[in-house]
Amino acid sequence: MPQGHQHEPAAAAANKSNKKDPPLIQCADLILPWLTPLELANISSTCKALSQISKSITLQRTLDASRFLENHLIPFLNPNNQHLYAYFLYTPSQLLPSQSPLRQPWGSQLDRDSLGRHHGDSACKLNESWEVLRGSDSELATPRRVMGESGKGVCGCDCEGCEEGGTGWEFWGLEEMGIMTECGPGCGCGLECSNRLTQRGVLVKLKIVRDGKKGWGLFADQMICQGQFICEYAGELLTTEEARRRQQIYDELASNGQFSSALLVVREHLPSGKACLRINIDATRTGNVARFINHSCDGGNLTTVLVRHTGSLLPRLCFFASRNIKEGEELTFSYGEIRVRSKGLQCFCGSSCCFGTLPSEHT
């Protein structure tokens, strides 16, 4: 809880209930954080005690979208209407639909250390149940390694990704998608290795702000320098068949203008040039803060990079700052250039080169 905050936490409200209270009230701080917003609203209308606890849980949810799974709190800010936060299940890294939780506690006063972290090598679990999917398109830009003075990484790792050492990555062709390689399950090093930059979670301060036209968007809550890692695009990894099935459902739900999906398709050309790796990441139900990054027709201030790991089949899509970003500035990138729908969703990016509609293509 931020210093000076006067709102009473759910645990304190629950502790005030005496032993004669019904079991639900006595255990409210353990049960209510598992509820959806609609369920929480319904139960809060049953009595004053549950209403008070529900309001406290709602407040806690607005303070951190990541459920303490990131290095910094990522708050929701909405000065425009009554929607205080967006409800979704949080994962800091990629997972399969079978690994996605049905529910997740959010808004309780659990110690953040007890929730644990599952960055980095957790991605290796995906390799056993995933197969390479072939698709088409997209040229790739190339990042280059910025060499360090030593012949090894800071942690002394001898693996291929670290043997030349280094302090970071420098990119050119930022309007294109780059590729970089980090240490992974096949290496003997840990997260302290200098070649695991994107595996330590969100290291910059961010906030999620509601706009009257665009809806929720991700904003910098500090000065971010060009080249800094922002976050990965985390969500459920889908087969192409499942991605297409879900997209049909999402298109129907979006037809009334009250639904927005977060299904992203990434295509990477393989070295042979005869095929490409297609990755479908759906952050609609389960994802991380990257699901709030909006489109900008001018390319935005983020660049996308496919990050591979030694010993891991699938790359991760990561965002880096393509230029210096001021505190309070919205983080955006280009969703693409293709627009197959003549009557696509309206674009509110506000750039001087805005096309008026959001990019769209066949899933």
Side-chain angles (χ1 to χ4, degrees):
M1 177 79 66
Q3 186 177 2
H5 213 293
Q6 300 301 313
H7 292 271
E8 183 179 44
N15 289 337
K16 285 188 175 183
S17 62
N18 58 56
K19 295 182 179 180
K20 295 182 180 180
D21 286 331
L24 178 58
I25 296 180
Q26 293 183 33
C27 302
D29 192 50
L30 298 175
I31 299 174
L32 268 61
W34 293 85
L35 302 183
T36 65
L38 179 59
E39 293 169 341
L40 198 62
N42 288 337
I43 202 169
S44 68
S45 64
T46 59
C47 70
K48 185 176 180 180
L50 290 177
S51 176
Q52 183 180 5
I53 297 171
S54 298
K55 289 179 180 179
S56 181
I57 289 174
T58 297
L59 172 65
Q60 293 299 317
R61 290 180 176 183
T62 66
L63 296 180
D64 185 25
S66 76
R67 283 81 158 165
F68 301 125
L69 291 172
E70 302 290 0
N71 298 288
H72 302 286
L73 301 182
I74 305 174
F76 288 96
L77 299 175
N78 184 8
N80 298 305
N81 57 41
Q82 74 277 14
H83 298 293
L84 299 179
Y85 64 94
Y87 184 81
F88 65 105
L89 302 179
Y90 200 93
T91 177
S93 56
Q94 296 175 346
L95 44 70
L96 296 174
S98 60
Q99 298 170 319
S100 182
L102 296 177
R103 287 180 181 265
Q104 189 179 55
W106 188 16
S108 65
Q109 289 295 299
L110 295 176
D111 178 29
R112 70 182 296 169
D113 293 331
S114 69
L115 293 175
R117 303 285 295 276
H118 55 280
H119 294 301
D121 295 346
S122 62
C124 69
K125 298 177 182 178
L126 300 170
N127 296 329
E128 299 177 357
S129 50
W130 187 263
E131 60 180 337
V132 176
L133 304 175
R134 300 184 183 276
S136 62
D137 45 79
S138 125
E139 295 283 329
L140 299 176
T142 305
R144 64 183 175 91
R145 190 75 163 126
V146 180
M147 301 300 178
E149 297 179 357
S150 66
K152 295 183 178 181
V154 174
C155 66
C157 180
D158 290 315
C159 63
E160 182 180 354
C162 266
E163 60 186 7
E164 294 179 330
T167 56
W169 293 87
E170 183 177 323
F171 301 94
W172 63 77
L174 291 177
E175 71 281 355
E176 302 290 345
M177 183 164 57
I179 302 176
M180 60 185 273
T181 301
E182 290 186 337
C183 293
C187 306
C189 58
L191 286 178
E192 71 280 0
C193 176
S194 62
N195 198 34
R196 290 180 181 264
L197 172 66
T198 68
Q199 300 172 45
R200 304 184 188 117
V202 179
L203 299 176
V204 296
K205 294 181 180 180
L206 305 171
K207 58 185 178 182
I208 304 165
V209 182
R210 181 86 176 183
D211 178 82
K213 293 183 177 179
K214 290 190 288 187
W216 296 106
L218 190 64
F219 286 71
D221 207 18
Q222 66 170 72
M223 173 69 182
I224 300 176
C225 297
Q226 181 179 1
Q228 271 191 275
F229 170 64
I230 307 298
C231 62
E232 72 169 282
Y233 196 91
E236 296 177 287
L237 287 169
L238 308 179
T239 63
T240 298
E241 181 181 3
E242 174 63 13
R244 287 170 176 164
R245 186 190 72 83
R246 290 194 184 187
Q247 190 59 60
Q248 286 183 342
I249 297 173
Y250 296 158
D251 287 343
E252 292 177 4
L253 293 173
S255 60
N256 61 7
Q258 300 298 315
F259 179 84
S260 178
S261 67
L263 199 166
L264 186 67
V265 177
V266 182
R267 297 178 177 91
E268 176 197 4
H269 276 287
L270 299 180
S272 66
K274 298 180 180 180
C276 74
L277 179 72
R278 170 173 169 149
I279 306 171
N280 309 288
I281 310 172
D282 189 4
T284 305
R285 179 180 177 273
T286 304
N288 69 342
V289 293
R291 70 195 299 277
F292 296 106
I293 302 177
N294 286 318
H295 164 79
S296 182
C297 293
D298 64 3
N301 49 23
L302 301 181
T303 183
T304 53
V305 179
L306 282 178
V307 181
R308 292 193 169 279
H309 305 106
T310 306
S312 181
L313 173 63
L314 292 177
R316 293 157 49 241
L317 182 68
C318 295
F319 294 96
F320 290 78
S322 60
R323 58 172 174 79
N324 292 336
I325 300 173
K326 298 178 181 180
E327 180 178 352
E329 186 176 347
E330 184 177 8
L331 305 180
T332 59
F333 77 110
S334 173
Y335 289 3
E337 302 296 331
I338 301 174
R339 289 168 171 80
V340 298
R341 298 188 184 97
S342 57
K343 296 182 179 180
L345 297 175
Q346 188 173 356
C347 178
F348 297 103
C349 71
S351 67
S352 58
C353 58
C354 181
F355 286 90
T357 58
L358 291 174
S360 61
E361 59 180 295
H362 298 296
T363 305

